[in-house]
């Protein structure tokens, strides 16, 4: 009970504490006065009073507040205007910059001169005077101010337009500080400009001064740009000098060893008798930081990676390919060595790594296709990757939107031609075919040791069979040497990428398990690419026929592709294309027209001639719609090659259709046909 009474009494105490209080005069006030301006010691209850919850301290006025400022006239009470406060703030900022930058005043003077000297409409004499004045102001201070974003621009303009004597003076002042300036984000542009303007002697001195710092600069985001620029400007010997430091510790320490003439790393190792394991360790220590930082845009790094993959063991090579497979590869394939690395990653990468490579190209397909080196990586993907659905979704869908541009472009047309006629030496040059057949020795399934073991096993089997049979030993030696010579020639052709056959390359690219013809059909026909390509050829037939590069695409499409891959699925569309070309050829010949007729144009006349020889269906359509009864008109000039093709065709039906009208032209000498062709057709 007592506890309950205590509990019930607690609220009453609170009410009493918060109840209204009486003043000294006994009157009751509605609100308690919790704050007093002057606390009195006489009233002890003031010590118990607390500040309310929402009370806040009075704001301190900042010394820069307008009421603390004095006006220029010295009147304390008068406030500054908005314009005066802005001017005062600007003066304070200028004062701070002068304290922080020792050459601030000089930079301001140079900036005003730069605004005048960089104008396009300024006279050469006036510009040279301004440049001389600017260089006089900077003399002795160039290394200090070259890192400024203002002064570096002034110096670049001065170096571009100044005289050779002034340029040499700037170069001599900057040369001792090149390594420091090479790592500065603003000074690096000045250094590159100095390299471009340097003489052969100065450039050689700069490249030799970089010795010992190549690896460290390549790991630097800014410094790597300087090394790459020097590498591009240098000759073969200077390039080799820069590369040697990255190969081995011995080549880094001893300059005499670096003067070796061999360019391939594997040849250098064999000639200098270097330890391969030591070279691999040194190169790994150089390459790994570069890969981790993603500094992969430079051709020098691509060359080092190619040399590393050439000598690396299986695990090291696989690790490098795994690291490169992805979006990083897109930044490499714009160079010759970089595209080779891309093709090696496609060839030796797993299905997962290939998927990463293709997905990393998303959004960049058009740019890669038009690049001279990058397009070969897409060609290798078409030739090796089995996941045709992924290729269709990411690559082909984007290519379908710009088929006309692809067909007319020198590099991009290779993608279409690779699907229409794979590995044809006319469309892919020797270097391109060799790149498709490149392999990493440690990851390749056809190593030289395996080939040698196959030779030995073949020799043993042939000797056993000879022992059983009655073949003489002399004949056995001749047969075995023929087999060995054949195997050696095959191996050399695989390594060099060259083949004895001028038309086709015998060594097809490896890397996929799917049948190449099935993969090709899925990418070209099933994806809808071929149908869209035929429509583009029909709409732009004249432009493609008269183009130096587009003529090859329209020829392969009109022919139906290699092995007739477009037949019979797209026969109706192909007939429409044949009719479109025939309509162009049926246009009347006019001397007044500025546009050249397709039968008289150099490119189109030869393309139509090839179609007559290789595609009988097109030949019959062209004859009926365009040439029948008009051969006398077209029997001279470039068009005569088109007319004579009907008699040179290997198809008897094509010759039979045109012989009645063309034979009189041949007899009277108007139309000339090579005797070898005529004899071959008669036989």
């Amino acid at each position: 009970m007592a506890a309950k009474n205590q509990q019930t009494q607690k609220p009453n105490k609170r009410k009493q504490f918060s109840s209204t209080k009486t003043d000294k005069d006994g009157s009751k006030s509605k609100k308690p006065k919790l704050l007093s301006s002057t606390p009195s010691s006489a009233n002890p209850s003031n010590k118990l009073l607390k500040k309310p919850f929402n009370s806040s301290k009075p704001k301190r006025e900042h010394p820069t507040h307008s009421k603390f400022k004095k006006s220029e006239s010295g009147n304390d009470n008068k406030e500054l205007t908005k314009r005066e406060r802005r001017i005062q703030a600007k003066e304070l900022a200028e004062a701070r910059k002068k304290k922080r930058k020792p050459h601030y005043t000089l930079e301001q003077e140079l900036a005003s001169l730069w605004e005048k000297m960089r104008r396009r409409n300024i006279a050469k004499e006036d510009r040279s005077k301004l440049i001389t004045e600017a260089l006089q102001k900077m003399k002795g201070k160039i290394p200090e101010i070259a890192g400024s974003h203002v002064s570096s621009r002034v110096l670049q303009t001065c170096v571009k337009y100044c005289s050779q004597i002034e340029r040499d003076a700037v170069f001599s002042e900057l040369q001792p500080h090149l390594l420091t300036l090479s790592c500065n984000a603003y000074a690096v542009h000045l250094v590159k400009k100095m390299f471009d303007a340097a003489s052969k002697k100065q450039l050689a001195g700069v490249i030799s001064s970089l010795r010992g710092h190549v690896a460290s600069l390549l790991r630097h985001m800014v410094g790597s740009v300087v090394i790459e620029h020097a590498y591009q400007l240098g000759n073969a010997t200077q390039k080799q000098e820069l590369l040697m430091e990255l190969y081995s510790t011995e080549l880094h320490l001893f300059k005499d060893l670096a003067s070796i003439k061999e360019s391939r790393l594997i040849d250098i190792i064999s000639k200098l008798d270097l330890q391969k394991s030591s070279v691999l360790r040194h190169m790994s220590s150089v390459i790994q930081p570069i890969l981790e930082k993603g500094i992969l845009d430079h051709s020098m790094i691509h060359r080092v990676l190619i040399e590393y993959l050439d000598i690396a063991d299986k695990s090291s090579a696989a690790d490098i390919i795994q690291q490169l497979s992805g979006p990083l590869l897109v930044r490499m394939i714009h160079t010759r060595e970089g595209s080779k690395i891309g093709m090696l990653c496609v060839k030796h990468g797993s299905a997962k790594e290939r998927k990463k490579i293709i997905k990393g190209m998303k959004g960049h397909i058009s740019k890669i296709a038009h690049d001279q080196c990058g397009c070969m990586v897409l060609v290798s993907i078409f030739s090796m990757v089995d996941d045709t659905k992924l290729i269709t979704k990411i690559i082909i869908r984007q290519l379908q939107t710009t088929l006309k541009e692809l067909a007319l472009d020198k590099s991009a047309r290779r993608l279409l031609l690779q699907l229409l006629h794979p590995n044809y030496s006319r469309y892919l040059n020797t270097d391109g075919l060799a790149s498709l057949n490149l392999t990493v020795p440690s990851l390749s399934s056809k190593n030289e040791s395996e080939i040698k073991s196959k030779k030995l096993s073949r020799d043993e089997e042939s000797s056993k069979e000879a022992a059983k049979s009655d073949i003489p030993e002399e004949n056995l030696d001749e047969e075995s040497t023929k087999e060995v010579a054949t195997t050696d020639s095959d191996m050399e052709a695989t390594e060099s990428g060259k083949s004895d056959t001028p038309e086709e390359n015998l060594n097809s690219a490896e890397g996929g398990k799917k049948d190449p013809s099935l993969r090709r059909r899925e990418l070209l026909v099933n994806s809808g690419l071929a149908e869209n390509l035929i429509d583009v050829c029909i709409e732009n037939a004249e432009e493609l026929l008269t183009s130096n590069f587009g003529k090859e695409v329209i020829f392969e499409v009109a022919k139906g592709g290699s092995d007739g891959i477009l037949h019979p699925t797209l026969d109706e569309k192909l007939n429409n294309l044949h009719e479109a070309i025939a309509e162009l050829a049926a246009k009347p010949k006019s001397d007044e027209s500025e546009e050249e007729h397709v039968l008289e144009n150099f490119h189109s006349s030869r393309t139509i001639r090839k179609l007559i020889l290789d595609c009988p269906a097109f030949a019959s359509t062209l004859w009926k719609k365009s040439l029948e009864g008009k051969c006398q008109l077209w029997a001279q000039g470039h068009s005569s090659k088109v007319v004579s093709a009907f008699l040179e065709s290997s198809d008897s039906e094509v010759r039979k259709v045109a012989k009645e009208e063309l034979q009189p032209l041949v007899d009277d000498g108007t139309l000339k046909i090579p005797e070898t062709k005529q004899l071959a057709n008669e036989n």
Side-chain angles (χ1 to χ4, degrees):
M1 291 297 289
K4 288 181 180 180
N5 292 334
Q6 289 177 0
Q7 290 176 2
T8 55
Q9 288 174 2
K10 283 182 180 179
N12 294 334
K13 288 182 180 180
R14 287 183 180 175
K15 285 181 181 179
Q16 289 174 5
F17 182 78
S18 62
S19 62
T20 57
K21 296 182 181 180
T22 57
D23 295 335
K24 291 182 181 180
D25 57 355
S27 62
K28 293 183 179 181
S29 61
K30 292 181 180 180
K31 293 182 181 179
K33 295 180 179 179
L34 298 179
L35 290 174
S36 59
S37 58
T38 54
S40 61
S41 59
N43 190 1
S45 63
N46 289 339
K47 295 179 181 179
L48 300 174
L49 298 178
K50 297 181 179 179
K51 294 182 180 179
F53 178 74
N54 60 351
S55 64
S56 59
K57 293 181 181 180
K59 293 183 179 178
R60 284 187 182 176
E61 298 291 350
H62 198 270
T64 60
H65 196 266
S66 59
K67 71 181 182 179
F68 290 96
K69 290 182 179 179
K70 294 182 179 180
S71 63
E72 294 177 359
S73 60
N75 188 5
D76 297 346
N77 297 327
K78 188 178 179 181
E79 293 185 0
L80 295 173
T81 62
K82 190 175 182 180
R83 182 174 176 279
E84 290 171 343
R85 286 200 303 271
R86 190 165 60 249
I87 292 170
Q88 191 174 16
K90 191 175 181 181
E91 289 175 356
L92 290 171
E94 293 283 337
R96 285 194 296 270
K97 287 179 181 178
K98 285 179 181 178
K99 289 181 181 179
R100 190 172 68 251
K101 299 179 180 180
H103 301 290
Y104 178 74
T105 308
L106 176 61
E107 288 180 5
Q108 294 299 308
E109 295 173 1
L110 293 173
S112 63
L113 290 172
W114 183 57
E115 289 296 335
K116 297 175 185 177
M117 71 173 71
R118 72 191 186 105
R119 292 175 185 169
R120 293 183 181 179
N121 57 352
I122 191 173
K124 290 184 178 180
E125 295 80 8
D126 297 336
R127 179 181 281 153
S128 61
K129 288 178 183 178
L130 292 169
I131 287 171
T132 305
E133 184 182 350
L135 290 174
Q136 286 294 331
K137 288 178 180 291
M138 290 185 285
K139 191 174 182 181
K141 305 170 187 175
I142 292 177
E144 300 174 20
I145 63 174
S148 169
H149 70 97
V150 176
S151 305
S152 64
R153 286 172 169 82
V154 180
L155 278 165
Q156 288 175 57
T157 307
C158 290
V159 169
K160 183 178 180 180
Y161 295 110
C162 68
S163 63
Q164 188 61 42
I165 297 171
E166 291 173 331
R167 192 178 292 119
D168 292 341
V170 174
F171 189 89
S172 61
E173 195 170 343
L174 285 175
Q175 191 169 7
H177 308 275
L178 277 178
L179 291 174
T180 308
L181 296 174
S182 297
C183 298
N184 185 279
Y186 298 110
V188 66
H189 303 293
L190 175 62
V191 174
K192 287 170 63 179
K193 188 74 72 176
M194 293 301 301
F195 283 3
D196 292 333
S199 62
K200 289 184 178 180
K201 186 178 180 181
Q202 289 172 338
L203 186 63
V206 168
I207 291 175
S208 62
S209 68
L210 293 174
R211 182 176 176 80
H213 306 278
V214 177
S216 59
L217 285 173
L218 275 177
R219 291 193 293 267
H220 197 279
M221 292 295 291
V222 179
S224 60
V225 177
V226 175
I227 290 291
E228 173 66 15
H229 201 67
Y231 181 76
Q232 292 293 336
L233 293 174
N235 54 33
T237 307
Q238 290 167 343
K239 286 181 179 180
Q240 190 73 2
E241 185 180 349
L242 291 172
L243 287 169
M244 285 295 189
E245 183 180 334
L246 308 175
Y247 290 160
S248 171
T249 311
E250 293 87 347
L251 298 172
H252 170 51
L253 294 174
F254 303 105
K255 192 173 182 180
D256 296 338
L257 296 177
S259 60
I260 192 169
K261 291 183 179 179
E262 278 74 7
S263 59
R264 294 182 62 197
L265 178 58
I266 192 167
D267 298 332
I268 294 169
I269 291 172
S270 61
K271 184 164 186 178
L272 298 178
D273 199 18
L274 300 173
Q275 288 187 355
K276 195 174 179 180
S277 58
S278 175
V279 173
L280 281 172
R281 280 196 303 272
H282 181 78
M283 292 186 74
S284 297
S285 65
V286 171
I287 291 170
Q288 281 303 322
I290 294 171
L291 294 179
E292 289 170 5
K293 289 187 177 182
I295 310 172
L296 296 170
D297 303 278
H298 308 309
S299 60
M300 186 178 181
I301 296 168
H302 305 164
R303 172 68 185 276
V304 174
L305 284 169
I306 282 284
E307 296 291 350
Y308 180 81
L309 289 173
D310 199 25
I311 64 166
D313 54 77
K314 193 171 184 178
S315 61
S316 301
D319 186 46
I320 290 292
I321 288 173
Q322 185 179 3
Q323 290 183 65
L324 293 175
S325 299
L328 282 177
L329 199 63
V330 178
R331 296 165 55 187
M332 300 178 62
I333 56 180
H334 62 280
T335 66
R336 186 181 175 188
E337 287 81 9
S339 67
K340 289 179 181 179
I341 293 171
M343 286 186 272
L344 289 174
C345 290
V346 171
K347 178 175 281 191
H348 296 291
S350 62
K352 187 177 180 180
E353 288 162 357
R354 289 175 175 177
K355 191 173 182 179
K356 285 182 181 178
I357 292 170
I358 295 170
K359 284 190 172 182
M361 292 180 176
K362 192 173 182 180
H364 307 283
I365 299 297
S366 180
K367 190 174 181 180
I368 294 170
H370 287 82
D371 187 76
Q372 183 179 0
C373 301
C375 68
M376 289 305 299
V377 180
L378 293 178
V379 168
S380 68
I381 289 173
F382 287 166
S383 305
M384 302 176 197
V385 179
D386 293 335
D387 193 351
T388 53
K389 288 185 178 179
L390 181 66
I391 298 173
T392 302
K393 182 180 177 182
I394 293 179
I395 298 177
I396 291 180
R397 288 291 174 264
Q398 191 166 350
L399 294 179
Q400 283 175 327
T401 58
T402 57
L403 283 176
K404 181 185 173 183
E405 289 77 8
L406 295 175
L408 293 170
D409 188 75
K410 181 181 179 181
S411 301
R413 70 192 170 95
R414 294 179 182 176
L415 303 177
L416 305 175
L417 293 171
Q418 177 67 8
L419 293 174
L420 291 165
H421 198 152
N423 299 335
Y424 188 37
S425 60
R426 182 181 177 88
Y427 306 141
L428 296 178
N429 53 21
T430 308
D431 188 44
L433 291 170
S435 300
L436 282 175
N437 291 300
L438 275 177
T439 57
V440 177
S442 58
L443 298 176
S444 177
S445 58
K446 293 183 179 180
N447 290 329
E448 189 176 350
S449 58
E450 293 181 4
I451 294 172
K452 287 181 180 179
S453 64
K454 286 180 182 178
K455 288 182 195 175
L456 294 172
S457 62
R458 284 176 186 172
D459 292 342
E460 291 175 0
E461 289 175 2
S462 60
S463 61
K464 288 179 182 178
E465 289 175 2
K468 293 178 182 178
S469 61
D470 297 332
I471 300 175
E473 291 183 2
E474 295 177 358
N475 296 340
L476 175 64
D477 292 336
E478 291 177 1
E479 289 179 3
S480 61
T481 52
K482 285 179 183 178
E483 287 182 2
V484 171
T486 306
T487 314
D488 287 338
S489 62
D490 291 342
M491 186 178 69
E492 289 174 3
T494 305
E495 291 177 354
S496 63
K498 296 180 180 178
S499 177
D500 294 332
T501 56
E503 297 292 325
E504 304 276 353
N505 186 17
L506 298 176
N507 300 318
S508 60
E510 299 175 358
K513 297 180 181 178
K514 189 178 286 188
D515 182 24
S517 60
L518 177 61
R519 184 196 302 118
R520 182 172 156 232
R521 178 168 288 277
E522 288 176 355
L523 292 175
L524 183 60
V525 181
N526 298 352
S527 66
L529 177 65
E531 187 174 356
N532 293 341
L533 187 57
I534 295 172
D535 292 337
V536 169
C537 290
I538 293 171
E539 293 172 7
N540 307 279
E542 187 173 4
E543 188 176 357
L544 290 170
L545 282 169
T546 55
S547 168
N548 188 20
F549 305 120
K551 66 180 182 182
E552 295 170 345
V553 176
I554 195 171
F555 167 75
E556 290 293 343
V557 172
K559 194 179 72 168
S562 175
D563 303 328
I565 192 170
L566 303 183
H567 300 294
T569 313
L570 299 168
D571 279 347
E572 186 178 349
K573 290 247 178 206
L574 290 175
N575 291 334
N576 294 337
L577 177 59
H578 296 165
E579 290 176 2
I581 298 172
E583 287 175 4
L584 291 172
K587 288 182 178 180
K589 184 178 182 181
S590 176
D591 297 332
E592 297 177 357
S593 177
E594 294 181 359
E595 294 184 2
E596 202 172 12
H597 198 279
V598 289
L599 295 179
E600 294 183 326
N601 181 269
F602 178 83
H603 299 298
S604 58
S605 61
R606 281 154 178 77
T607 305
I608 293 171
R609 170 188 166 80
K610 284 170 62 181
L611 279 172
I612 294 168
L613 295 172
D614 294 348
C615 184
F618 170 78
S620 61
T621 303
L622 182 69
W623 178 260
K624 290 176 183 177
K625 291 208 167 191
S626 307
L627 296 177
E628 190 174 9
K630 303 176 184 177
C631 293
Q632 179 74 36
L633 182 65
W634 302 109
Q636 293 178 352
H638 289 307
S639 58
S640 64
K641 297 181 181 296
V642 177
V643 176
S644 63
F646 283 91
L647 294 178
E648 297 174 17
S649 175
S650 59
D651 190 90
S652 59
E653 292 295 327
V654 174
R655 294 198 307 271
K656 185 178 179 181
V657 167
K659 189 172 183 180
E660 185 178 351
E661 186 174 345
L662 295 180
Q663 192 60 45
L665 297 176
V666 175
D667 295 339
D668 62 13
T670 306
L671 191 66
K672 295 181 180 180
I673 298 174
E675 294 181 2
T676 53
K677 291 275 185 183
Q678 196 169 5
L679 290 172
N681 292 335
E682 288 176 359
N683 294 331

